[in-house]
Structure formats: structure tokens, C-alpha cells
Amino acid sequence: MSEPTNFFEQAPDAPEIAARFPDLHPPFNKTVALTEANRCLYCFDAPCTAACPTHIDVPRFIKKIASGNMDGSAKTILDANILGASCARACPVAVLCEGACVMHRYNRQPIAIARLQRFAMDSLYESGALLPFSSGADTGKSVALIGGGPASLACAAELRRRGIRAEIFDAQPLPGGLNTYGIAEYKLPLAESLREIDMLAQLGVQFHFDVTVDAKMLGELEASHDAVFLGLGLGAIHKLGIVGESLAGVTNALDYIADYKSGKITSAPAHVAVIGAGNTAIDAANAAARLGASEVHIVYRRGPEQMSAFAYEYENSKLEGVRFLWHTQPVSINGNGIVESLRLAKLDDSLLPKPEEDFDIPVDLVILAIGQSTHTEFLADDNIKLDHGRILIDRATGQTSNPKYFSGGDCTNSGREVVDAVADGKRAGVGIAAWLEEQHANA
């Protein structure tokens, strides 16, 4: 049964979380937005547009802000990226559009593209306007989309605009995938993720929640739909494989972020250690600091040059008070039924432990953030080629080795950015529509 689409109203009321996680980049008011929009050179062959995985026409949407055409600005954004509101908040713009801005050539600040994009989308919400386009004429075709994250949402939007029925099946109680459950609240609040999906639902996308699709159900969906899109994301965060990992007080970064965003947890214990140094690890460490931990350590077996987190995330985390233990790895987690301390080993240049330099730090909570596994085993009998659990696709169309199946997002790229998943879903939606049309022509 399809769920109701007033998702925004289902966001938990957690004033304490809202107070502790204000916007990392506060929104522009109208005066500031107009001033910033008028700084743009409106480049003809804009490098910012080329740098955006969804290729939003950045000069066009900014020029519309400058001229006061807010609806037109939002439409320009949404035509290219149906999740333009969340990407405005969560994208690593310093290495994408703003990183490519021509202003860098003149030693000037790049145009604040993300904040202008957010201004346009917030203006659309505040106006109460509907999505600036509608679903296409019904083709009689349908697609089942497995997973409710950004790739599936973008794919569903493209399908609906072409008159193809789109049904999303997700194991969680709310849609959005990592946008809803896994991105730090100060970047993308849970309520904002759900509000964006409410707008997308105006296209007639159908949602089915608390549904875990296994091999049997996948076969049934394949039989009852004209195509299947796999937007599975990634699976559980890897374990350390050390003594004490089953103690109370050991969790993983995705669960930790989801729990505080939902209001399930509202405070952190005094001493927290996060294992790993990617962007998700940084988000979890910053969250612990904001939730009241007096001491937060990130433990990483390599040096800062090798960390996968973006440099600006690292710098921001230091401002949050997070401490970094480089060339260090956990040996054991110690405690009597509950975590009390973490035994750590220093590593040499060859990443070999130096036992004589083992040391302990007091810890009340250990958060694992050392990468995620895949969960594509149930696809083995569907003629879908995998590479170490990653679904192999034609990057131009999203089609897998089984022509009826398409895919995109983290399950195909091992984990990148929200905007990359949106771009994958968008391409797959177009690819599915073209394939269905070809099948009909050849029938």
C-alpha cells in the first residue's frame, strides 16, 4: 500500500537538536542574495555548470535571482536537479561548482552558488508554489525502484515527467536515504529532506515503506513491472574485528547520525572516539561535540594527507574541538559490559604497530566509521554483473548486464556525493524511458 505524502509533517519535533545544530551556512536574506547574484559574470561557457554533476545552468538561475524571477530560478535548478534544495545544502561545492568559479582567476571570492541556490529553493517553498512542471501523459508503463535515496528519487522524477509510473520500495519508515538519515543536521535537517520529497511527490511517485526487498520479492517486482531500478545504496559499516566490539557503547556513524536526527538521542557522553577519517566520521565526531561530549577523538591509522574527508571538513572539525590521533589504530575496546577505555597502537611508516607505544584513552562511546559493505548478494541469480559487490552499469544509461535492470548511486560507485547519485538517477530515468520506447517500437 502506498503511504501518504505529507512527509514534512512526520519530521520529529526536537527543539534541543535544532538548537545544537544550527545551519553551518546560514541562509541569505533578499538583500544579500541580490547583491551576491549581481557579482556573477554570467559566463557563457560556464565552468561552474560543467563542474556540477547534474549540470545545473548556474549563470541562468543566478541571473533570474538578480532580475527578481524567483520561480524561474527555481525551475532552472529543478529542471536539472530535482533535489536541488538538498544539494544546495549538502554538496561539497568547494570542490565542484564554486571550486570552478572564474572568480578564482582574479583572486576574488567565488560566487556563493550553493547559498544562492538555497535562496531560490527556499523562496519557492515559502511562496507555496507547486513543482514548476507536471507528470507526462500516462504511457501505461511502470518501473519498480528499490531504495528511497537520492538516486531513486531522481530516477522516479524523470520517469514521471515522461508518463511512466514509478513505485519506490524502501526498508526505512521514511524516504530520502542518506539525505534523511545520514547527513549531518547542520548541513541538511531531516525536515528539509522530507519537505523536498513532498514536492517531488506531486509528480505522483508512489512510496512503499518498511519493505525489505529480497530475491523472491525482486522476482515478483520484475514480473509486475516493465523495468527495475536498483538504488540500493551501501550496507552496514565494517567492523573492526577486535576484542570488545560487542560491548554496550559501540555503535556506527550512520546509526549515530540517524538517532540524533530523529531525536532518539539528545546528548553525548563525556568521552567519544570515532574510528575512521572520512566525511561521515567527521560528521559523527562533530555531532558528538555538539551533543555535549567534553572530549572527542578521531582515530585514523594513516596521516592527514591520506584522509578521505575533504580538507574543509577537517578544518571545520578542528573548530568544533575534535582531536585527531594520526598513525593510530584500535587494539581492543575495554570495559565490564560497557565501554570504559580504548586501547590504541601507534603505527610506523609501514603501518605496522609499535607494541611498546600502546596506550589507553578513556572512552564512553566508540563510533565506527571505516567504510560500508555492499548488500547486493541477492542479485546473483538475476544475471546482473557485479564487481566486488558493486553493480556494473553503462554509465551513459544506467543499464546493467540484465537489460531490464538499471541502477545508480552508491551501489554502483562505492559511495560518492548526493549530487552524484542524483546525476546517476537522472541518467537512468532517461535511459529507462528510451529503452521502454525501443521495446515498444520492436514489439
Side-chain angles (χ1 to χ4, degrees), residues 375-419:
H375 56 145
T376 52
E377 316 78 31
F378 70 103
L379 303 176
D381 297 329
D382 293 290
N383 193 31
I384 296 171
K385 289 185 179 178
L386 306 175
D387 178 21
H388 296 91
R390 180 173 60 90
I391 299 172
L392 296 178
I393 60 171
D394 178 335
R395 282 286 161 194
T397 65
Q399 195 165 36
T400 72
S401 54
N402 182 333
K404 193 171 182 177
Y405 283 78
F406 293 71
S407 187
D410 287 354
C411 60
T412 68
N413 61 33
S414 300
R416 297 183 70 181
E417 302 302 319
V418 172
V419 70

Short mmCIF file of all heavy atoms in Angstrom, two decimals, residues 375-419:
data_model
loop_
_atom_site.label_atom_id
_atom_site.label_comp_id
_atom_site.label_asym_id
_atom_site.label_seq_id
_atom_site.Cartn_x
_atom_site.Cartn_y
_atom_site.Cartn_z
N HIS A 375 25.48 -4.77 -0.25
CA HIS A 375 24.44 -5.77 0.06
C HIS A 375 23.70 -6.11 -1.22
O HIS A 375 22.50 -5.87 -1.37
CB HIS A 375 23.51 -5.32 1.19
CG HIS A 375 22.82 -4.01 0.96
ND1 HIS A 375 21.55 -3.76 1.41
CD2 HIS A 375 23.21 -2.88 0.35
CE1 HIS A 375 21.20 -2.53 1.07
NE2 HIS A 375 22.19 -1.98 0.43
N THR A 376 24.46 -6.65 -2.15
CA THR A 376 23.91 -7.00 -3.46
C THR A 376 23.91 -8.51 -3.70
O THR A 376 23.70 -8.95 -4.83
CB THR A 376 24.75 -6.31 -4.56
OG1 THR A 376 26.14 -6.61 -4.36
CG2 THR A 376 24.57 -4.80 -4.54
N GLU A 377 24.12 -9.30 -2.63
CA GLU A 377 24.21 -10.75 -2.80
C GLU A 377 22.94 -11.34 -3.43
O GLU A 377 23.01 -12.30 -4.20
CB GLU A 377 24.46 -11.44 -1.45
CG GLU A 377 25.50 -10.80 -0.54
CD GLU A 377 24.99 -9.56 0.19
OE1 GLU A 377 23.79 -9.47 0.51
OE2 GLU A 377 25.82 -8.67 0.43
N PHE A 378 21.79 -10.75 -3.11
CA PHE A 378 20.52 -11.32 -3.58
C PHE A 378 20.32 -11.11 -5.08
O PHE A 378 19.34 -11.59 -5.65
CB PHE A 378 19.35 -10.73 -2.79
CG PHE A 378 19.05 -9.29 -3.08
CD1 PHE A 378 17.98 -8.93 -3.89
CD2 PHE A 378 19.83 -8.28 -2.51
CE1 PHE A 378 17.70 -7.60 -4.14
CE2 PHE A 378 19.54 -6.95 -2.76
CZ PHE A 378 18.47 -6.60 -3.58
N LEU A 379 21.25 -10.40 -5.75
CA LEU A 379 21.13 -10.19 -7.19
C LEU A 379 21.83 -11.28 -8.00
O LEU A 379 21.80 -11.25 -9.23
CB LEU A 379 21.74 -8.83 -7.57
CG LEU A 379 21.15 -7.60 -6.88
CD1 LEU A 379 21.93 -6.36 -7.29
CD2 LEU A 379 19.67 -7.44 -7.21
N ALA A 380 22.45 -12.22 -7.33
CA ALA A 380 23.31 -13.21 -8.00
C ALA A 380 22.57 -14.00 -9.07
O ALA A 380 23.16 -14.39 -10.08
CB ALA A 380 23.91 -14.16 -6.97
N ASP A 381 21.29 -14.24 -8.88
CA ASP A 381 20.54 -15.08 -9.83
C ASP A 381 19.80 -14.27 -10.90
O ASP A 381 18.98 -14.81 -11.64
CB ASP A 381 19.52 -15.95 -9.07
CG ASP A 381 20.19 -16.92 -8.12
OD1 ASP A 381 21.33 -17.36 -8.43
OD2 ASP A 381 19.60 -17.22 -7.08
N ASP A 382 20.10 -12.98 -10.99
CA ASP A 382 19.36 -12.13 -11.92
C ASP A 382 20.20 -11.68 -13.11
O ASP A 382 19.83 -10.72 -13.80
CB ASP A 382 18.82 -10.90 -11.18
CG ASP A 382 17.76 -11.26 -10.15
OD1 ASP A 382 16.66 -11.65 -10.57
OD2 ASP A 382 18.06 -11.18 -8.95
N ASN A 383 21.31 -12.35 -13.35
CA ASN A 383 22.17 -12.02 -14.49
C ASN A 383 22.65 -10.57 -14.45
O ASN A 383 22.73 -9.90 -15.47
CB ASN A 383 21.44 -12.30 -15.82
CG ASN A 383 22.38 -12.27 -17.01
OD1 ASN A 383 23.56 -12.60 -16.89
ND2 ASN A 383 21.87 -11.86 -18.17
N ILE A 384 22.92 -10.09 -13.23
CA ILE A 384 23.44 -8.73 -13.06
C ILE A 384 24.90 -8.83 -12.64
O ILE A 384 25.22 -9.39 -11.59
CB ILE A 384 22.62 -7.97 -11.99
CG1 ILE A 384 21.17 -7.81 -12.46
CG2 ILE A 384 23.25 -6.62 -11.69
CD1 ILE A 384 20.24 -7.27 -11.40
N LYS A 385 25.78 -8.33 -13.47
CA LYS A 385 27.21 -8.44 -13.20
C LYS A 385 27.62 -7.52 -12.06
O LYS A 385 27.22 -6.35 -12.00
CB LYS A 385 28.01 -8.13 -14.46
CG LYS A 385 27.91 -9.20 -15.53
CD LYS A 385 28.83 -8.88 -16.70
CE LYS A 385 28.75 -9.99 -17.77
NZ LYS A 385 29.60 -9.67 -18.94
N LEU A 386 28.44 -8.07 -11.16
CA LEU A 386 28.95 -7.33 -10.02
C LEU A 386 30.47 -7.32 -10.04
O LEU A 386 31.10 -8.23 -10.58
CB LEU A 386 28.45 -7.96 -8.71
CG LEU A 386 26.95 -8.18 -8.53
CD1 LEU A 386 26.69 -8.93 -7.23
CD2 LEU A 386 26.22 -6.85 -8.54
N ASP A 387 31.04 -6.32 -9.42
CA ASP A 387 32.49 -6.25 -9.23
C ASP A 387 32.75 -5.98 -7.76
O ASP A 387 32.59 -4.85 -7.29
CB ASP A 387 33.09 -5.14 -10.10
CG ASP A 387 34.60 -5.00 -9.90
OD1 ASP A 387 35.23 -5.98 -9.43
OD2 ASP A 387 35.13 -3.92 -10.21
N HIS A 388 33.12 -7.04 -7.01
CA HIS A 388 33.31 -6.94 -5.57
C HIS A 388 32.07 -6.33 -4.90
O HIS A 388 32.17 -5.48 -4.01
CB HIS A 388 34.55 -6.10 -5.24
CG HIS A 388 35.83 -6.72 -5.71
ND1 HIS A 388 36.37 -6.46 -6.95
CD2 HIS A 388 36.67 -7.61 -5.12
CE1 HIS A 388 37.49 -7.15 -7.11
NE2 HIS A 388 37.69 -7.86 -6.00
N GLY A 389 30.90 -6.77 -5.34
CA GLY A 389 29.65 -6.31 -4.75
C GLY A 389 29.08 -5.06 -5.38
O GLY A 389 27.94 -4.70 -5.12
N ARG A 390 29.86 -4.37 -6.19
CA ARG A 390 29.40 -3.13 -6.86
C ARG A 390 28.69 -3.49 -8.16
O ARG A 390 29.19 -4.29 -8.94
CB ARG A 390 30.61 -2.23 -7.12
CG ARG A 390 30.29 -0.92 -7.80
CD ARG A 390 31.54 -0.05 -7.86
NE ARG A 390 32.60 -0.71 -8.61
CZ ARG A 390 32.79 -0.59 -9.92
NH1 ARG A 390 31.96 0.16 -10.64
NH2 ARG A 390 33.78 -1.20 -10.52
N ILE A 391 27.52 -2.90 -8.39
CA ILE A 391 26.76 -3.19 -9.59
C ILE A 391 27.41 -2.50 -10.78
O ILE A 391 27.65 -1.28 -10.75
CB ILE A 391 25.29 -2.74 -9.44
CG1 ILE A 391 24.63 -3.48 -8.27
CG2 ILE A 391 24.51 -2.98 -10.72
CD1 ILE A 391 23.24 -2.95 -7.93
N LEU A 392 27.68 -3.25 -11.83
CA LEU A 392 28.30 -2.68 -13.02
C LEU A 392 27.20 -2.16 -13.96
O LEU A 392 26.24 -2.87 -14.24
CB LEU A 392 29.13 -3.74 -13.75
CG LEU A 392 30.35 -4.26 -12.97
CD1 LEU A 392 31.07 -5.34 -13.76
CD2 LEU A 392 31.32 -3.12 -12.63
N ILE A 393 27.37 -0.93 -14.42
CA ILE A 393 26.35 -0.31 -15.28
C ILE A 393 27.02 0.38 -16.47
O ILE A 393 28.21 0.68 -16.46
CB ILE A 393 25.51 0.74 -14.52
CG1 ILE A 393 26.39 1.87 -13.97
CG2 ILE A 393 24.68 0.09 -13.44
CD1 ILE A 393 25.62 3.04 -13.39
N ASP A 394 26.21 0.62 -17.48
CA ASP A 394 26.59 1.51 -18.57
C ASP A 394 26.42 2.93 -18.02
O ASP A 394 25.30 3.35 -17.72
CB ASP A 394 25.66 1.28 -19.77
CG ASP A 394 25.96 2.20 -20.95
OD1 ASP A 394 26.51 3.29 -20.74
OD2 ASP A 394 25.60 1.83 -22.09
N ARG A 395 27.49 3.67 -17.89
CA ARG A 395 27.45 4.98 -17.23
C ARG A 395 26.59 5.98 -18.00
O ARG A 395 26.14 6.98 -17.44
CB ARG A 395 28.86 5.52 -17.04
CG ARG A 395 29.60 4.89 -15.87
CD ARG A 395 29.05 5.41 -14.56
NE ARG A 395 29.38 4.54 -13.43
CZ ARG A 395 28.81 4.64 -12.25
NH1 ARG A 395 27.86 5.52 -12.06
NH2 ARG A 395 29.15 3.84 -11.26
N ALA A 396 26.37 5.76 -19.27
CA ALA A 396 25.56 6.70 -20.06
C ALA A 396 24.07 6.50 -19.83
O ALA A 396 23.29 7.45 -19.95
CB ALA A 396 25.89 6.56 -21.54
N THR A 397 23.67 5.27 -19.52
CA THR A 397 22.24 4.97 -19.42
C THR A 397 21.82 4.37 -18.08
O THR A 397 20.62 4.32 -17.78
CB THR A 397 21.82 3.96 -20.51
OG1 THR A 397 22.50 2.71 -20.28
CG2 THR A 397 22.18 4.48 -21.90
N GLY A 398 22.78 3.89 -17.29
CA GLY A 398 22.45 3.23 -16.03
C GLY A 398 22.03 1.78 -16.19
O GLY A 398 21.70 1.11 -15.20
N GLN A 399 22.06 1.24 -17.42
CA GLN A 399 21.60 -0.13 -17.64
C GLN A 399 22.63 -1.14 -17.16
O GLN A 399 23.84 -0.95 -17.34
CB GLN A 399 21.31 -0.35 -19.12
CG GLN A 399 20.50 -1.61 -19.43
CD GLN A 399 19.95 -1.59 -20.84
OE1 GLN A 399 20.60 -1.11 -21.76
NE2 GLN A 399 18.73 -2.10 -21.02
N THR A 400 22.17 -2.22 -16.53
CA THR A 400 23.05 -3.28 -16.07
C THR A 400 23.21 -4.34 -17.16
O THR A 400 22.68 -4.20 -18.26
CB THR A 400 22.48 -3.94 -14.80
OG1 THR A 400 21.34 -4.73 -15.16
CG2 THR A 400 22.08 -2.91 -13.76
N SER A 401 23.90 -5.41 -16.83
CA SER A 401 24.07 -6.51 -17.79
C SER A 401 22.75 -7.23 -18.07
O SER A 401 22.61 -7.92 -19.08
CB SER A 401 25.10 -7.51 -17.27
OG SER A 401 24.75 -7.95 -15.96
N ASN A 402 21.77 -7.10 -17.18
CA ASN A 402 20.41 -7.57 -17.43
C ASN A 402 19.62 -6.37 -17.96
O ASN A 402 19.41 -5.40 -17.24
CB ASN A 402 19.78 -8.09 -16.14
CG ASN A 402 18.38 -8.63 -16.33
OD1 ASN A 402 17.66 -8.22 -17.25
ND2 ASN A 402 17.96 -9.54 -15.46
N PRO A 403 19.21 -6.38 -19.22
CA PRO A 403 18.64 -5.17 -19.83
C PRO A 403 17.41 -4.62 -19.14
O PRO A 403 17.12 -3.43 -19.29
CB PRO A 403 18.33 -5.61 -21.26
CG PRO A 403 18.30 -7.10 -21.23
CD PRO A 403 19.27 -7.51 -20.16
N LYS A 404 16.71 -5.42 -18.37
CA LYS A 404 15.51 -4.93 -17.70
C LYS A 404 15.84 -4.20 -16.39
O LYS A 404 14.98 -3.55 -15.80
CB LYS A 404 14.55 -6.10 -17.42
CG LYS A 404 13.15 -5.65 -17.01
CD LYS A 404 12.16 -6.81 -16.94
CE LYS A 404 10.76 -6.33 -16.58
NZ LYS A 404 9.76 -7.41 -16.57
N TYR A 405 17.09 -4.30 -15.96
CA TYR A 405 17.51 -3.69 -14.70
C TYR A 405 18.44 -2.51 -14.96
O TYR A 405 19.38 -2.60 -15.76
CB TYR A 405 18.24 -4.71 -13.83
CG TYR A 405 17.34 -5.70 -13.13
CD1 TYR A 405 16.81 -6.79 -13.82
CD2 TYR A 405 17.02 -5.54 -11.78
CE1 TYR A 405 15.98 -7.71 -13.18
CE2 TYR A 405 16.20 -6.46 -11.13
CZ TYR A 405 15.69 -7.53 -11.83
OH TYR A 405 14.87 -8.44 -11.20
N PHE A 406 18.19 -1.42 -14.23
CA PHE A 406 19.04 -0.23 -14.27
C PHE A 406 19.48 0.06 -12.83
O PHE A 406 18.88 -0.44 -11.87
CB PHE A 406 18.28 0.95 -14.86
CG PHE A 406 17.95 0.79 -16.33
CD1 PHE A 406 16.98 -0.12 -16.75
CD2 PHE A 406 18.61 1.56 -17.28
CE1 PHE A 406 16.68 -0.26 -18.10
CE2 PHE A 406 18.32 1.42 -18.63
CZ PHE A 406 17.36 0.51 -19.04
N SER A 407 20.51 0.87 -12.68
CA SER A 407 21.00 1.13 -11.33
C SER A 407 21.75 2.46 -11.29
O SER A 407 22.11 3.03 -12.33
CB SER A 407 21.91 -0.02 -10.86
OG SER A 407 22.25 0.14 -9.50
N GLY A 408 21.99 2.95 -10.08
CA GLY A 408 22.75 4.18 -9.90
C GLY A 408 22.97 4.47 -8.43
O GLY A 408 22.35 3.86 -7.56
N GLY A 409 23.86 5.41 -8.15
CA GLY A 409 24.14 5.79 -6.78
C GLY A 409 25.25 4.98 -6.16
O GLY A 409 26.08 4.37 -6.85
N ASP A 410 25.26 4.92 -4.83
CA ASP A 410 26.37 4.33 -4.09
C ASP A 410 26.60 2.86 -4.40
O ASP A 410 27.72 2.37 -4.31
CB ASP A 410 26.16 4.50 -2.58
CG ASP A 410 26.37 5.93 -2.12
OD1 ASP A 410 26.78 6.77 -2.94
OD2 ASP A 410 26.09 6.22 -0.94
N CYS A 411 25.55 2.13 -4.76
CA CYS A 411 25.72 0.69 -5.04
C CYS A 411 26.48 0.47 -6.35
O CYS A 411 26.90 -0.64 -6.65
CB CYS A 411 24.40 -0.04 -5.07
SG CYS A 411 23.23 0.55 -6.32
N THR A 412 26.67 1.55 -7.13
CA THR A 412 27.43 1.44 -8.38
C THR A 412 28.77 2.14 -8.31
O THR A 412 29.68 1.83 -9.08
CB THR A 412 26.65 2.03 -9.56
OG1 THR A 412 26.54 3.44 -9.41
CG2 THR A 412 25.26 1.43 -9.66
N ASN A 413 28.91 3.10 -7.40
CA ASN A 413 30.17 3.87 -7.35
C ASN A 413 30.90 3.74 -6.02
O ASN A 413 31.88 4.46 -5.77
CB ASN A 413 29.91 5.34 -7.68
CG ASN A 413 28.96 6.02 -6.69
OD1 ASN A 413 28.93 5.71 -5.51
ND2 ASN A 413 28.16 6.96 -7.19
N SER A 414 30.41 2.86 -5.15
CA SER A 414 31.03 2.57 -3.84
C SER A 414 30.96 3.74 -2.87
O SER A 414 31.64 3.75 -1.85
CB SER A 414 32.48 2.11 -4.01
OG SER A 414 32.53 0.94 -4.80
N GLY A 415 30.14 4.72 -3.16
CA GLY A 415 29.92 5.81 -2.21
C GLY A 415 30.54 7.12 -2.62
O GLY A 415 31.73 7.32 -2.43
N ARG A 416 29.72 8.02 -3.20
CA ARG A 416 30.20 9.35 -3.54
C ARG A 416 29.27 10.39 -2.92
O ARG A 416 28.81 10.22 -1.81
CB ARG A 416 30.33 9.48 -5.06
CG ARG A 416 31.36 8.51 -5.64
CD ARG A 416 31.55 8.68 -7.14
NE ARG A 416 32.21 9.94 -7.45
CZ ARG A 416 32.47 10.34 -8.69
NH1 ARG A 416 32.10 9.60 -9.72
NH2 ARG A 416 33.08 11.50 -8.91
N GLU A 417 28.98 11.46 -3.65
CA GLU A 417 28.17 12.54 -3.08
C GLU A 417 26.70 12.42 -3.49
O GLU A 417 26.37 11.74 -4.46
CB GLU A 417 28.73 13.89 -3.55
CG GLU A 417 30.18 14.11 -3.18
CD GLU A 417 30.44 14.02 -1.69
OE1 GLU A 417 29.61 14.53 -0.91
OE2 GLU A 417 31.47 13.44 -1.30
N VAL A 418 25.84 13.14 -2.76
CA VAL A 418 24.42 13.15 -3.09
C VAL A 418 24.20 13.55 -4.53
O VAL A 418 23.42 12.93 -5.27
CB VAL A 418 23.66 14.11 -2.15
CG1 VAL A 418 22.21 14.27 -2.61
CG2 VAL A 418 23.70 13.61 -0.71
N VAL A 419 24.89 14.59 -4.98
CA VAL A 419 24.69 15.09 -6.33
C VAL A 419 25.10 14.06 -7.38
O VAL A 419 24.52 14.00 -8.47
CB VAL A 419 25.44 16.43 -6.53
CG1 VAL A 419 26.95 16.24 -6.54
CG2 VAL A 419 24.96 17.14 -7.79
#
